[in-house]
Amino acid sequence: VVMHICGRFHCDEYLGTVAQLQRKDKDLKVLTISCFPADDFAKPNYEAYENLADFVILIQKTTTE
């Protein structure tokens, strides 16, 4: 079991690092997690996130004034 942590650019929509790993080993089991502040945190549009990752964690945006 290996846990690799990277930025969203490298794994969202199963692209980048995920695609490269699966290209090298088609039988490799890969699960992805995407975590980010969302504008729609209070009432998420789940359909917008369904192809993003296996698990999506939305956090509330904070503002600094």
Side-chain angles (χ1 to χ4, degrees):
V1 174
V2 174
M3 180 177 178
H4 174 77
I5 299 172
C6 59
R8 292 184 60 204
F9 176 82
H10 300 286
C11 62
D12 276 5
E13 298 179 3
Y14 308 95
L15 300 173
T17 304
V18 176
Q20 291 299 316
L21 287 169
Q22 291 180 327
R23 184 177 61 85
K24 291 181 182 276
D25 184 349
K26 296 190 185 330
D27 296 326
L28 189 64
K29 183 177 179 181
V30 177
L31 294 175
T32 60
I33 301 170
S34 188
C35 179
F36 54 93
D39 290 325
D40 63 349
F41 176 80
K43 191 173 181 180
N45 175 8
Y46 294 110
E47 289 181 7
Y49 305 123
E50 67 184 359
N51 295 320
L52 198 58
D54 296 298
F55 302 94
V56 176
I57 301 169
L58 304 179
I59 59 174
Q60 189 170 15
K61 279 192 167 185
T62 58
T63 57
T64 54
E65 296 182 38

